[in-house]
Amino acid sequence: MSDPWLTIIGLGEDGVAGLSARSQAALARADIIMAPPRHLDLLRETPARTIPWPVPYRDGLDQLKSLRGQRVVVLASGDPFWFGAGASIARELDSNEWTAQPGPSCFALAANHLGWALEGVTCLGLHAAPMARLRRHLAAGTRAIVTLRDGTSVTDLTKYLCDQGFDDSTLTIFEHLAGPQERITSAQASALEGRFDHPVCAAIAFAGDGRALSTATGQADTTFASDGQMTKRPVRAITLSTLAPKPHEHLWDIGGGSGSIALEWLLAHPTTHATCIEQRADRAARIAQNAEALGVEHRITIVTGAAPTALAGLETPDAIFVGGGLDHALIEAVSAHPARLVVNAVTLEGEALLAQWQAQLGGDLMRIDIANAKPLGSKRGWSTSYPVVQWSLTR
């Protein structure tokens, strides 16, 4: 097997002097060094040809592949395979074409500075993602380290934390971490001010009275903006438990309403995906808003249309939930898929339909009756919600 033509090197703010002997040797052998301009500025003089990585990023991948047959080094920040460029490059090449020599990540450097055990810290790349990606992790007493796009993003971060009620959080802002221009600033989110330089990352010790999301199924109904068309919390908790989301799985949520089922599916694990089918455009737009608020908009596809017609051409599901538009044609369409199926019905007609299909295909049929205590004159009594009949089928 021939030696790889490409070496991906993680470069820190201390430049070439901070690289291992092996990385420095790869640089010395290189015919071509390709990197963002900031990384090229950190190099000493080199006989190699230097190529600035272009914008948009994708153009750089195509240019890189055209360099096959030469000794090429790509410089990236810190650990290239932790929210860095490494994975994007590796996907484009065969495994025998490249090798990687990582440096310390900004997450490791920041944690070591603060004395934080990194295994207990949430690490996120927010340099190309909205601040709402933090929503799932907001809870007093927890910690996170995040990369940021540039110095102005520090203000965006503090505003987001204050808007969510976590204004007492302590932020430590690292500029040019581990380099000769290193600067470290620490303050509460509500009091942090100033201008900050790129590259920048932030360590956050969350504190405040903001509402944290539950780690269990059945988020509070107020988590989702809704016009009232929503699977309510107790039934949603049972439904999600029956759907049983697993890593990397894909859900069809048919009759999305507020999108609460699909969104809780996405909150269950960072690798899950969902397609939400909703025939009303206003509700589809509200689902998109809910997804953005929870930071999961990148993992959901929203289809405006009526099932079963709208199901044509969709990515194959691992699980299907039907919460609206229930009729014989829809059940016939979804039951043809070898996916876990959960269907909820609240009408007598829907209940009869589920009983018919359960008799034909099997599965479990369950009636969910929920009552809440409400004032009854000077005393209290039980107020019963409409019962929900749930049919679940696993094949």
Side-chain angles (χ1 to χ4, degrees), residues 66-78:
S66 73
L67 302 175
R68 282 187 175 97
Q70 303 176 76
R71 291 190 298 270
V72 180
V73 164
V74 165
L75 298 176
S77 296

Side-chain angles (χ1 to χ4, degrees), residues 235-388:
V235 175
R236 189 178 345 110
I238 294 171
T239 300
L240 264 295
S241 176
T242 308
L243 285 168
K246 300 177 183 65
H248 301 285
E249 287 193 330
H250 179 220
L251 170 74
W252 283 359
D253 179 357
I254 301 173
S258 67
S260 61
I261 293 292
L263 295 172
E264 285 223 37
W265 172 277
L266 297 175
L267 290 173
H269 195 272
T271 63
T272 52
H273 292 78
T275 298
C276 202
I277 300 94
E278 171 54 55
Q279 60 181 340
R280 281 181 46 171
D282 60 332
R283 287 178 176 165
R286 191 176 293 112
I287 293 168
Q289 293 168 2
N290 284 332
E292 289 175 2
L294 292 169
V296 295
E297 78 293 336
H298 57 304
R299 294 190 282 124
I300 188 170
T301 300
I302 301 169
V303 177
T304 304
T309 304
L311 304 179
L314 298 183
E315 179 186 348
T316 303
D318 299 288
I320 302 172
F321 170 67
V322 179
L326 187 60
D327 60 23
H328 180 82
L330 178 55
I331 296 297
E332 185 173 41
V334 296
S335 63
H337 289 273
R340 302 190 299 278
L341 176 63
V342 177
V343 186
N344 287 356
V346 294
T347 66
L348 291 175
E349 292 80 4
E351 182 176 339
L353 185 63
L354 295 190
Q356 173 189 342
W357 278 93
Q358 192 265 347
Q360 179 180 339
L361 296 180
D364 296 321
L365 201 61
M366 176 172 61
R367 179 182 165 110
I368 306 169
D369 286 297
I370 296 174
N372 293 287
K374 297 286 180 66
L376 185 62
S378 61
K379 300 183 184 297
R380 292 176 299 161
W382 292 109
S383 176
T384 305
S385 303
Y386 286 115
V388 174

